[in-house]
Amino acid sequence: MQGNSRLVGLWRFVAPVIVSLFALAACGDSGPDAGPATGGETVCGSNFCISHPDGWVVAENGGTFISFEHSEDPDLLKATVSQVNMEGVVTQAGNSWPQLTDGVVRSFWTLLAETGAELSTLEPRRDGSVASLGTHESGRLWLLIHPVSSRDAIGVEVRAPNTTWSTHVDVFFESLRIQQ
């Protein structure tokens, strides 16, 4: 009988986690699926260049930032590359500076948590940048933070309704070139 009470206790802990995972999986997996990430054009800002796949267009180029949208659904499919003050992100999230790049990314997600966003994965990369994936109110959000100095970075953010857009995200992330 004691074994059954342990199972019941375990189930009381595990059941909400399973329900949350199913809800998380269902959340944001709507909207248009991505087509192939082909072609692409390179555009440059003040100290970076980046390529985007066909279907994405430059919505605005402000020199220190470039925003993109996709013709399939410009309200759901957005990307931005911009300057990031890493110290500002960290302190705005209530954390102390200095932080490693993964700490900056976690601080970014802490700030987004106020809008219901949630970090799912964090991936440090060989070039010193950190990529992450999470959910937000209308789907998925990918973020790449690439440091360019002790306080400054270039950030690439892509928002899409579902994970089929990850190949498009790869084009944005892999094509980022920092110009010193």
Side-chain angles (χ1 to χ4, degrees):
M1 200 67 169
Q2 187 178 21
N4 284 343
S5 65
R6 284 186 183 169
L7 286 175
V8 170
L10 179 63
W11 180 249
R12 285 185 182 153
F13 172 75
V14 173
V17 172
I18 292 171
V19 169
S20 296
L21 289 174
F22 280 121
L24 182 62
C27 173
D29 279 339
S30 59
D33 285 345
T38 59
E41 178 183 333
T42 300
V43 293
C44 295
S46 57
N47 65 337
F48 61 86
C49 291
I50 195 164
S51 298
H52 60 87
D54 289 338
W56 292 86
V57 296
V58 174
E60 188 173 358
N61 187 339
T64 59
F65 73 94
I66 301 172
S67 63
F68 303 88
E69 54 190 34
H70 193 280
S71 57
E72 182 76 28
D73 191 334
D75 292 329
L76 282 178
L77 298 160
K78 297 187 177 292
T80 305
V81 57
S82 66
Q83 309 294 318
V84 175
N85 177 325
M86 295 190 293
E87 181 179 8
V89 169
V90 168
T91 57
Q92 185 69 30
N95 298 316
S96 62
W97 180 257
Q99 290 277 330
L100 297 174
T101 307
D102 64 331
V104 175
V105 172
R106 289 181 194 283
S107 293
F108 173 87
W109 283 97
T110 297
L111 293 172
L112 283 180
E114 297 170 6
T115 65
E118 186 175 339
L119 173 64
S120 300
T121 63
L122 190 76
E123 174 196 346
R125 303 173 99 189
R126 287 186 173 167
D127 63 3
S129 66
V130 175
S132 61
L133 166 64
T135 59
H136 69 96
E137 68 279 354
S138 59
R140 300 289 189 246
L141 187 147
W142 291 262
L143 174 71
L144 176 73
I145 297 288
H146 192 291
V148 295
S149 73
S150 61
R151 284 188 166 79
D152 298 311
I154 302 296
V156 181
E157 179 183 317
V158 183
R159 294 176 182 237
N162 57 59
T163 57
T164 65
W165 293 91
S166 64
T167 56
H168 290 244
V169 173
D170 290 343
V171 171
F172 282 109
F173 284 10
E174 299 305 320
S175 69
L176 178 64
R177 298 293 174 254
I178 308 297
Q179 300 172 333
Q180 299 293 332

